[in-house]
Amino acid sequence: MPERLQRKRAKGWRAKDACTNPNGYIFIGRGSGYGNVSKIGSRGDLILPGGWIDPRAHSPLTRQQAIDNFINSHSHDLDSLDRIRDDLRGKDLLCWCALTDACHGDWLLKVANSDLPVDAFLDQTPKPEHLAASRIRICRHPLRIVTHAPAWLACDTCKADFPHQATCPGRGTPGCAQHCMGGADPQVAALDALYALPAAERTSP
């Protein structure tokens, strides 16, 4: 059964010696692509269930809040969940966290190796009422597809009020915004019209 391993700085310690899993291991610390960027004790934004960012001031993050930030920034995105299962299934996960401490790797192990379908971990919690006027949400698909991205889209900073869908007919094509955002928002229609133009002629709607 895949497990979490603690990476150590002790002289002579080697991960390949500590890992007995025939499928090997993957490092999930910061800088790996699966690291938790939320640090214990930091005052960075809270990421709520559904991927919504709460920019309000708060106390320094506890260990559990830092872990929840990681989970909430991935669990709303089916693409991200699929990638976790594809990349990590069957492998041990190597992190700096002590094995006696909670770690984001525990959740990664669960998603990667569960017998449940991956969409069982999908969290589609709607936007909380206190964020009703906010258009900020974690988005793991930056849309660098227009010369001047509309300010309301804000996806160039990987923070938007909608996640770009894996089933999109094509980034930068007519129908992209309508497919990914849905509804009859006139801004969506404006963006669709923008995508229909040659790249050199695109300007912000």
Side-chain angles (χ1 to χ4, degrees), residues 12-120:
W13 186 90
R14 298 189 303 177
K16 66 179 183 179
D17 295 333
C19 177
T20 59
N21 187 332
N23 295 318
Y25 67 89
I26 289 182
F27 178 58
I28 58 164
R30 294 189 186 103
S32 67
Y34 284 108
N36 189 357
V37 297
S38 294
K39 297 181 179 181
I40 299 170
S42 76
R43 293 181 180 272
D45 292 335
L46 286 174
I47 303 175
L48 307 178
W52 304 107
I53 299 177
D54 189 343
R56 297 177 300 179
H58 59 82
S59 301
L61 293 177
T62 64
R63 172 175 291 274
Q64 189 57 54
Q65 285 175 321
I67 293 171
D68 289 344
N69 269 8
F70 178 86
I71 294 173
N72 293 337
S73 68
H74 288 78
S75 60
H76 77 280
D77 183 354
L78 188 56
D79 227 15
S80 183
L81 293 171
D82 282 333
R83 187 164 54 252
I84 289 170
R85 181 157 293 184
D86 290 344
D87 291 352
L88 307 183
R89 190 175 185 87
K91 296 180 174 64
D92 286 348
L93 304 185
L94 182 66
C95 188
W96 293 107
C97 293
L99 299 182
T100 53
D101 291 335
C103 172
H104 72 291
D106 299 327
W107 180 78
L108 287 173
L109 280 171
K110 186 183 299 184
V111 174
N113 299 288
S114 174
D115 292 332
L116 296 172
V118 73
D119 60 7

